[in-house]
Amino acid sequence: MSLAGVPMSDRRSLARCIAWTLFVGVLAAGCGQTRRPDGNVGLLPVGAKAPDVVGEDVQGKTVKLSDVKGTLAVVYFYPKDGTPGCTAQACAFRDTFDRLQQAGVTVFGISRDSAASHREFRAEHKLPFPLVADESGDVARAYGVPSKFLIMTARVTFLIDADGNVARVWPDVDPAVDAKRVLEAAGELQGAKPAA
């Protein structure tokens, strides 16, 4: 196809249209199921061994999922520090934190933000639990959590049992009710109703 004789303004419009189509295609390609390092595709299923995560707590101390084996843990992935949904989700875990601790549940929040961003986010909202800086996306891939727009992690929550296995998976969670749902599931796993 020759563009000879096509006005320059139409050529620019065509170039913008092609660029936009390619951009949308690249974004869409980043939103499919994720291939995990174990060779399988999609979110880790219930019963799978939970990959270790390493985060930083309020005091700047390193905390690992493997260090809390023998208790329940929630590993929740979120897109970005400081965004409305992610802030609502983190604050819901903060507001439920005492009851989660009473139920023996450790919380790890994970996004692709840097450790410095996590420190600011945690300080601003007084978050009492570790945040994991997964800048490379390796932790998300290990759990099979897809990317959104290539640079942000999708919102997925995992409840890990005392043996270190995935007990529950919630894809596409509602940030406002995620912590409550995790608390209820932890109570069910332990055979008791969580404290009100």
Side-chain angles (χ1 to χ4, degrees), residues 26-154:
V26 167
L27 287 180
C31 296
Q33 288 198 332
T34 301
R35 179 163 301 280
R36 300 189 313 261
D38 65 7
N40 292 314
V41 176
L43 297 173
L44 276 180
V46 169
K49 190 74 173 162
D52 206 6
V53 298
V54 181
E56 187 178 284
D57 70 9
V58 179
Q59 290 81 30
K61 181 180 143 200
T62 298
V63 182
K64 296 180 182 179
L65 178 62
S66 57
D67 291 343
V68 299
K69 192 172 179 182
T71 63
L72 300 179
V74 60
V75 175
Y76 82 92
F77 292 85
Y78 63 97
K80 185 114 184 89
D81 289 344
T83 57
C86 297
T87 300
Q89 185 178 24
C91 290
F93 276 111
R94 176 201 64 203
D95 295 345
T96 313
F97 188 71
D98 288 342
R99 289 183 284 160
L100 286 164
Q101 277 195 311
Q102 289 169 5
V105 180
T106 303
V107 178
F108 291 88
I110 304 174
S111 78
R112 294 190 66 171
D113 293 298
S114 67
S117 175
H118 281 338
R119 282 190 287 276
E120 289 174 21
F121 184 53
R122 190 174 35 249
E124 181 180 353
H125 298 288
K126 297 177 177 49
L127 305 178
F129 49 85
L131 296 178
V132 178
D134 184 28
E135 292 180 82
S136 67
D138 289 345
V139 177
R141 276 189 292 282
Y143 278 79
V145 176
S147 294
K148 296 176 69 164
F149 310 116
L150 297 179
I151 55 168
M152 292 186 290
T153 305

Side-chain angles (χ1 to χ4, degrees), residues 169-185:
V169 181
W170 294 278
D172 301 320
V173 298
D174 179 341
V177 299
D178 193 25
K180 182 180 179 205
R181 199 175 348 183
V182 166
L183 184 62
E184 290 169 355

